């Protein structure tokens, strides 16, 4: 596996990076700027993480600030709570989506609630990085899309970058946040490459229109963004001009951008890898319908993973939303009326 | 003759270079075979009489606190109260051995320890009153909020103690756990992290015999709960939790052990919950009056008072003065809980995030409109 280490991005300078390198650079820059930031998790130190996102951090900042922990996710997140109570700003890596579940009680009962139950006296500025989603041929327990669990929990911010630039910018914003952030990294985009120009840290919670269009609006995030952009390209040949919105943040949710983008076309499809029933798409479709009902020419449709346990790698392509399934949904948006 | 029947001898083959960690002698980590006691032993003669009198006054205060909180619950002033009656020596000692800059991590039965840290009862009992989830300023009192999910506060204590050391502060964290809590995964993970990090943390397990109704025999097959320390490479201590002097001594040593960089300590205090789990529990369904009576004989307050009187360390006036101070505390509690708490429904939205999300602003507006309509209807 190639190294993720990249030179620290000086603000304003353009560099070509993979998303993995952009995330690594964001961690390094945050650690250089703020001595209270520390990274902790399984294999993050000597190895640099199984995806090399923490590569080189132990060498630069020492084992105390890039802490190899025992293999116990509740212990990792629980310790991070205590560290944050004492004024540190932990960035926790939970190695894979489905291995984050042992930390659930700490996340739901303490991390998400501490600010609220102490009336603001004990905020917990913890960033919880979780590589998530499928598409890399991972065996069981390595490909879950678990965002709905987190988005359903008040007190957490839930972010997921889909571009290299957002990998850097949104992770910096997450670390700077005084609230806990679940930062979901689409692992199949780790090796996507782009030129980025780091700027000042942006506030979290805004969606971005990645592609303007007039026929219908695709609402998506994380690993499904490149699929939607590809679908929009193919659709052009079939006479549809599709807009694509990258949600970036599930909590808080940018109703303003989404509502405007759907009203502009009158048709919408929500696309995500996570299973459909009770998934983020259900919430998004409901919000869009509540806000755009009189602007809609068709029901809001969803293209999601099937309601099945994540399939074995040789079958995962049938599960994941692809270009054809997205275009089939677009075709069902009542164009005849 | 099977392979297993072969006589074992030293192997001629050599281990490869050790990548599997150091092997340590477990003997120094092992707890005493019997709970450590001081009162009613010859060693008690060396105890500081003023310390014993101080512990006595605090136990009297603690007992009155438990009684008053129970009464307030019967009067509907508290939603629920898990009394620490019978465990006052553990509660008082846990607070007394800590420095002001040390941290305490209590669970829901530990409000007396919180009060002993200097938190006002009305703030310590806020969660149980039900007007808010939490009362006091955790940073001002270096006391974490009451943790209701069992043992989940133990890893917090480890993380805080480790962070303090990283920042160069010789601060110790003390986590309070019950016997039932030792079965939780978080207890295991906390002890393991503490051992690996060498964090300056003390775990005090108040073994009161029951997790609601389930006795320790159904909770653990360990020789004692203190023995669990050995598996994590940390020191285990076993102490009589109803002997206030022993509790104070053992916890003082444990805190100093942790503070001096010698690693974490697990202390098991053998005690007894004289009352039911909470006012909503019926303890007669799972334990006999004879058992409770036997433990009344080991009531930590009675044990200490007997010792003080037998050694002429307290007189009737001293007992009366302690009782008077306790009545003052009870009167303060009655006064504070007599008035209705102020409730602001719109505060529900103010501390979910540092800044409310747009969605929460909308929901706050909805509730504000409902409140305005209610006010108009009145």
């Amino acid at each position: 596996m190639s190294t993720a280490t990249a030179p620290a991005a000086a603000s304003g300078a353009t560099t070509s990076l993979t998303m993995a390198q952009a995330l690594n650079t964001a961690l390094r820059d945050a650690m250089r700027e703020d001595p209270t930031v520390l990274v902790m998790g399984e294999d993050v130190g000597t190895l640099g993480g199984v995806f090399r996102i923490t590569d080189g951090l132990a060498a630069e900042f020492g084992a105390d600030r890039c802490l190899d922990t025992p293999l116990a996710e509740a212990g990792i997140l629980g310790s991070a709570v205590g560290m944050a109570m004492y004024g540190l700003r932990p960035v926790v890596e939970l190695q894979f989506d489905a291995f984050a579940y042992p930390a659930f009680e700490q996340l739901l009962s303490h991390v998400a609630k501490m600010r609220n139950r102490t009336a603001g006296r004990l905020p917990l500025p913890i960033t919880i990085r979780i590589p998530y989603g499928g598409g890399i041929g991972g065996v069981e327990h390595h490909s879950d899309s678990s965002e709905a669990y987190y988005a359903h929990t008040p007190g957490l911010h839930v972010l997921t970058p889909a571009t290299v630039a957002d990998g850097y910018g949104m992770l910096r914003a997450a670390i700077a946040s005084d609230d806990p952030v679940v930062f979901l990294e689409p692992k199949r985009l780790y090796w996507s490459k782009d030129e980025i120009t780091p700027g000042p840290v942006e506030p979290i919670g805004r969606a971005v229109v990645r592609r303007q269009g007039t026929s219908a609006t695709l609402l998506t995030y994380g690993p499904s963004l490149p699929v939607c952009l590809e679908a929009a390209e193919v659709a052009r040949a079939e006479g549809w001009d599709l807009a694509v919105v990258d949600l970036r943040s599930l909590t808080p949710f940018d109703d303003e951008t989404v509502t405007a983008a759907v009203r502009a076309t009158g048709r919408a499809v929500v696309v995500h890898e996570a299973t459909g029933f009770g998934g983020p798409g259900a919430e998004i479709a409901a919000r869009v319908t509540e806000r755009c009902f009189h602007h809609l020419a068709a029901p809001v449709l969803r293209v999601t993973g099937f309601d099945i346990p994540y399939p074995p790698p040789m079958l995962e392509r049938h599960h994941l939303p692809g270009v054809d399934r997205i275009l089939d949904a677009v075709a069902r948006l009542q164009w005849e009326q | 003759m099977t392979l297993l029947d072969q006589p074992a001898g030293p192997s001629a083959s050599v281990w490869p270079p050790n990548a599997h960690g150091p092997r340590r002698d477990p003997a120094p980590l092992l707890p005493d075979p019997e709970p450590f006691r001081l009162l009613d032993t010859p060693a008690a003669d060396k105890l500081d009489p003023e310390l014993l009198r101080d512990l006595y006054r605090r136990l009297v205060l603690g007992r009155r606190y438990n009684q008053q909180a129970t009464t307030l619950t019967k009067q509907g002033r508290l939603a629920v109260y898990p009394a620490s009656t019978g465990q006052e020596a553990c509660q008082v000692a846990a607070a007394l051995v800590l420095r002001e800059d040390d941290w305490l991590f209590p669970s829901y039965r530990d409000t007396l320890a919180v009060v002993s840290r200097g938190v006002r009862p009305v703030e310590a009992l806020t969660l149980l009153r039900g007007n808010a989830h939490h009362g006091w300023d955790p940073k001002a009192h270096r006391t974490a909020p009451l943790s209701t999910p069992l043992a989940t506060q133990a890893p917090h204590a480890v993380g805080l103690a480790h962070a303090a050391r990283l920042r160069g502060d010789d601060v110790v964290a003390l986590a309070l756990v019950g016997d039932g809590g030792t079965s939780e995964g978080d207890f295991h993970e906390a002890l393991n992290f503490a051992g690996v990090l060498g964090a300056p943390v003390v775990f005090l397990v108040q073994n009161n015999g029951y997790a609601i109704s389930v006795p320790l025999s159904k909770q653990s097959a360990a020789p004692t709960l203190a023995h669990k320390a050995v598996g994590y490479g940390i020191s285990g201590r076993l102490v009589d939790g109803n002997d206030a002097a022993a509790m104070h001594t053992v916890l003082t040593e444990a805190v100093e052990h942790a503070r001096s960089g010698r690693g974490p300590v697990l202390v098991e205090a053998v005690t007894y919950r004289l009352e039911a789990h909470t006012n909503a529990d019926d303890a007669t369904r799972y334990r006999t009056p004879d058992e409770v009576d036997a433990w009344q004989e080991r009531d930590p307050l009675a044990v200490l008072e007997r010792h003080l009187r037998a050694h002429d360390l307290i007189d009737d006036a001293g007992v009366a003065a302690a009782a008077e101070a306790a009545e003052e505390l009870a009167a303060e509690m009655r006064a504070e809980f007599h008035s209705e708490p102020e409730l602001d429904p719109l505060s529900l939205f103010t501390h979910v995030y540092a800044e409310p999300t747009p969605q929460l602003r909308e929901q706050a507006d909805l509730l504000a409109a409902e409140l305005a309509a209610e006010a108009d209807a009145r």
Side-chain angles (χ1 to χ4, degrees):
Chain A
M1 191 175 288
S2 66
T3 173
T5 307
S11 194
T14 300
T15 39
S16 181
L17 298 176
T18 63
M19 184 184 282
Q21 289 171 326
L23 294 164
N24 177 267
T25 306
L27 291 172
R28 180 176 288 104
D29 287 358
M31 292 172 85
R32 283 181 181 170
E33 278 178 27
D34 181 353
T36 67
V37 174
L38 86 159
V39 166
M40 59 192 289
E42 297 154 11
D43 302 298
V44 298
T46 307
L47 182 67
V50 295
F51 291 106
R52 306 294 185 266
I53 307 302
T54 58
D55 195 34
L57 300 181
E60 178 170 348
F61 301 102
D64 281 343
R65 287 189 67 197
C66 185
L67 182 65
D68 266 333
T69 65
L71 207 165
E73 292 76 13
I76 295 170
L77 191 52
S79 305
V81 168
M83 292 180 185
M85 287 171 71
Y86 206 78
L88 298 183
R89 204 167 268 271
V91 182
V92 167
E93 176 172 310
L94 299 178
Q95 201 164 71
F96 277 90
D97 32 57
F99 301 151
Y101 303 144
F104 236 59
E105 186 179 24
Q106 286 292 339
L107 187 65
L108 270 59
S109 295
H110 291 295
V111 174
K113 291 178 176 170
M114 195 67 87
R115 173 189 288 280
N116 182 254
R117 62 204 282 253
T118 61
R121 288 160 169 154
L122 220 51
L124 295 178
I126 302 174
T127 301
I128 302 144
R129 296 182 35 246
I130 308 175
Y132 86 116
I136 63 160
V139 295
E140 195 182 17
H141 306 302
H142 291 77
S143 299
D144 282 14
S145 290
S146 36
E147 59 268 31
Y149 307 131
Y150 306 119
H152 194 63
T153 304
L156 303 175
H157 288 310
V158 184
L159 309 185
T160 176
T163 67
V164 176
D166 274 355
Y168 180 85
M170 286 171 60
L171 184 52
R172 290 300 306 273
I175 297 169
S177 168
D178 286 333
D179 287 312
V181 177
V182 175
F183 194 83
L184 297 165
E185 299 172 358
K187 61 176 91 78
R188 70 162 131 151
L189 300 184
Y190 272 151
W191 302 280
S192 62
K193 200 161 187 169
D194 205 354
E195 293 197 335
I196 69 164
T197 309
V201 175
E202 284 181 57
I204 58 180
R206 294 315 297 249
V208 168
V209 179
R210 296 288 181 199
R211 190 184 195 282
Q212 300 287 348
T214 55
S215 310
T217 303
L218 303 182
L219 302 169
T220 191
Y221 55 86
S224 297
L225 176 67
V227 186
C228 285
L229 291 171
E230 191 189 339
E233 282 304 307
V234 176
R236 197 162 56 171
E238 301 182 22
W240 288 312
D241 180 18
L242 300 182
V244 179
V245 177
D246 176 4
L247 297 171
R248 301 162 93 221
S249 169
L250 293 178
T251 314
F253 190 79
D254 187 354
D255 282 309
E256 194 183 350
T257 301
V258 168
T259 301
V262 174
R263 286 185 181 183
T265 63
R267 289 176 170 84
V269 180
V270 190
V271 182
H272 60 60
E273 282 187 22
T275 52
F277 191 88
E283 173 67 26
I284 296 165
R287 303 187 78 80
V288 167
T289 305
E290 286 166 0
R291 286 163 178 75
C292 308
F293 186 74
H294 295 291
H295 301 261
L296 289 173
V300 179
L301 296 183
R302 287 172 289 160
V303 177
T304 69
F306 294 129
D307 294 333
I308 56 171
Y310 197 87
M314 288 181 176
L315 290 169
E316 69 178 332
R317 71 183 180 86
H318 301 291
H319 173 71
L320 295 170
V323 169
D324 287 348
R325 202 173 289 158
I326 293 168
L327 294 179
D328 283 347
V330 170
R332 283 186 281 122
L333 289 171
Q334 301 190 10
W335 301 98
E336 308 303 327
Q337 77 177 28
Chain B
M1 195 174 190
T2 69
L3 267 180
L4 290 173
D5 296 328
Q6 302 278 356
S11 167
S13 66
V14 178
W15 281 97
N18 186 9
H20 302 89
R23 298 212 175 99
R24 294 174 57 187
D25 176 10
L29 308 175
L30 284 166
D32 298 336
E34 288 297 320
F36 178 75
R37 280 181 172 175
L38 278 174
L39 298 178
D40 303 327
T41 74
D45 296 342
K46 297 192 185 110
L47 291 167
D48 174 10
E50 196 41 55
L51 170 69
L52 295 181
R53 281 189 287 264
D54 186 36
L55 284 168
Y56 173 74
R57 286 188 289 266
R58 290 170 185 272
L59 291 196
V60 171
L61 214 63
R63 178 59 49 86
R64 190 68 187 88
Y65 168 85
N66 270 319
Q67 288 167 343
Q68 187 60 59
T70 301
T71 304
L72 287 167
T73 311
K74 287 176 181 158
Q75 293 168 344
R77 295 289 178 190
L78 292 177
V80 64
Y81 183 63
S84 60
T85 311
Q87 301 176 216
E88 289 93 343
C90 301
Q91 295 282 302
V92 162
L96 201 56
V97 299
L98 295 181
R99 274 189 345 210
E100 206 171 289
D101 58 347
D102 291 333
W103 274 74
L104 181 74
F105 287 80
S107 78
Y108 54 78
R109 200 181 299 287
D110 302 316
T111 60
L112 175 57
V114 173
V115 168
S116 303
R117 282 285 273 170
V119 175
R120 290 163 58 216
V122 70
E123 291 183 345
L125 291 165
T126 297
L127 169 80
L128 304 165
R129 192 183 195 186
N131 55 309
H133 291 318
H134 174 76
W136 66 91
D137 182 340
K139 287 182 176 165
H141 292 280
R142 265 77 57 184
T143 301
L146 301 176
S147 182
T148 309
L150 291 180
T152 54
Q153 74 280 18
H156 303 173
V158 176
L160 184 134
H162 182 65
R165 205 174 41 163
L166 288 180
R167 305 197 86 168
D169 302 335
D170 67 341
V171 161
V172 171
L174 191 153
L176 293 164
V177 184
D179 45 301
T182 65
S183 298
E184 292 281 3
D186 280 49
F187 178 76
H188 153 71
E189 295 191 22
L191 264 69
N192 190 45
F193 270 63
V196 169
L197 296 170
V201 59
V202 174
F203 304 96
L204 172 57
V205 174
Q206 295 167 87
N207 174 7
N208 66 18
Y210 292 89
I212 303 188
S213 69
V214 177
L216 188 66
S217 59
K218 293 182 183 175
Q219 200 67 247
S220 174
T224 72
L225 297 176
H227 277 85
K228 292 193 173 197
V230 182
Y232 305 101
I234 69 180
S235 299
R237 294 293 307 270
L238 185 62
V239 57
D240 181 347
N242 290 8
D243 179 333
M247 280 304 300
H248 187 269
T249 300
V250 167
L251 285 179
T252 299
E253 289 172 4
V255 166
E256 285 318 306
H257 183 96
R259 198 187 309 285
S260 64
R262 285 176 286 161
V265 184
L266 170 65
V267 178
E268 176 189 356
V270 180
T271 182
Y272 194 77
R273 193 187 73 209
L274 288 172
E275 301 293 335
H277 168 62
T278 67
N279 53 294
D281 176 37
D282 175 8
T284 63
R285 292 176 71 96
Y286 53 85
R287 58 188 200 187
T288 64
D290 285 352
E291 180 185 304
V292 180
D293 288 347
W295 278 97
Q296 291 281 6
E297 287 298 303
R298 287 295 305 164
D299 174 344
L301 182 53
V303 168
L304 183 54
E305 188 171 333
R306 277 202 300 268
H307 179 92
L308 290 171
R309 287 204 183 264
H311 293 76
D312 279 332
L313 295 175
I314 201 165
D315 53 17
D316 289 343
V319 171
E324 195 178 324
E327 284 312 315
E328 280 174 25
L329 175 77
E332 179 197 327
M333 289 169 71
R334 287 192 298 271
E336 294 206 287
F337 282 93
H338 186 67
S339 59
E340 294 295 327
E342 283 183 29
L343 299 173
D344 174 11
L346 289 175
S347 72
L348 293 174
F349 299 98
T350 44
H351 296 297
V352 184
Y353 299 97
E355 291 292 326
T357 61
Q359 289 75 29
L360 288 182
R361 286 186 209 282
E362 284 176 16
Q363 291 167 26
D365 289 346
L366 177 74
L367 181 58
E370 285 178 10
L371 293 170
E374 265 181 34
D376 284 348
R378 257 186 263 126

